Structure formats: C-alpha cells, structure tokens
Amino acid sequence: MTEQEQPVADVFSAACSSRPVLQHLTGRWGALAMVALDRAEGPVRFGELRRRVEGISDRMLSQTLGQLERDGMVHRTVHSSIPPHVEYTLTELGARVAGPLAELIELLEAELPTVMDAQAAYEAAS
C-alpha cells in the first residue's frame, strides 16, 4: 500500500479495522496471554502458557493465540519432533504492545486496595 492508500485508523469508528485488534488485546484473555509471553524468558510452550494463565481452557487459549497471531502480535513455531510441539513468542510489534499492557496490570495490582475500598463503598451505598 502506498501512503495515500493507508486507511485512517479511528478505533472509535465501528468500521475501523483497529477495533477488533483492540478487542483481541483487551478481552478477557488477550492481555493476560500477551503479558505472560512478555514476562517469559524465551519461547513458551502451549501447556506452560495455559498453566500461567489460570482459568483459561485449551480451546480459549488456542483461539486467543490464533487471533493474536493473525494480528501480528504473536509468532507460532511448530517443531517437527516426536511428539511435535509448538512454541509461542511475541513479535516485535507484540513486544511493543505488551509493555503498556504489563504496566496497566502492574498499576491495577498496586492499586488493588483502593479498588476494593471503592467497591465496598459502592456496595454500602447501594
């Protein structure tokens, strides 16, 4: 595509292609998978990733990784061994995106007492 053919990104537009990518990254499992891969030291096998992201089913992890691979965030390598195994790493783009997601997670973890206090106050007022 030439520079003139580049679509204008506007995530607030329902027709923008960036919206589904944002949903893949910020959905229930996308951010957790991205940050788990970001924090790993090297390639991660499927089972390792499933254990790290507690509560995710095999099917949902597979679907999430497939979406992130399609979006250019995750690289999947299939090793022809017996038995065959698959490893996942972040692409360059994925690593750039995972950094801010990790910062958001760290901020939420650090502010969890404040969030819990706000939730309790809300429930008491309701």
Side-chain angles (χ1 to χ4, degrees), residues 107-122:
L107 176 63
L108 288 173
E109 288 174 340
E111 295 297 331
L112 187 58
T114 305
V115 171
M116 293 178 75
D117 288 346
Q119 290 172 344
Y122 180 87

Side-chain angles (χ1 to χ4, degrees), residues 87-104:
E87 293 180 330
Y88 297 89
T89 56
L90 292 176
T91 63
E92 187 177 320
L93 173 61
R96 289 198 328 262
V97 170
L101 289 173
E103 289 176 19
L104 176 61

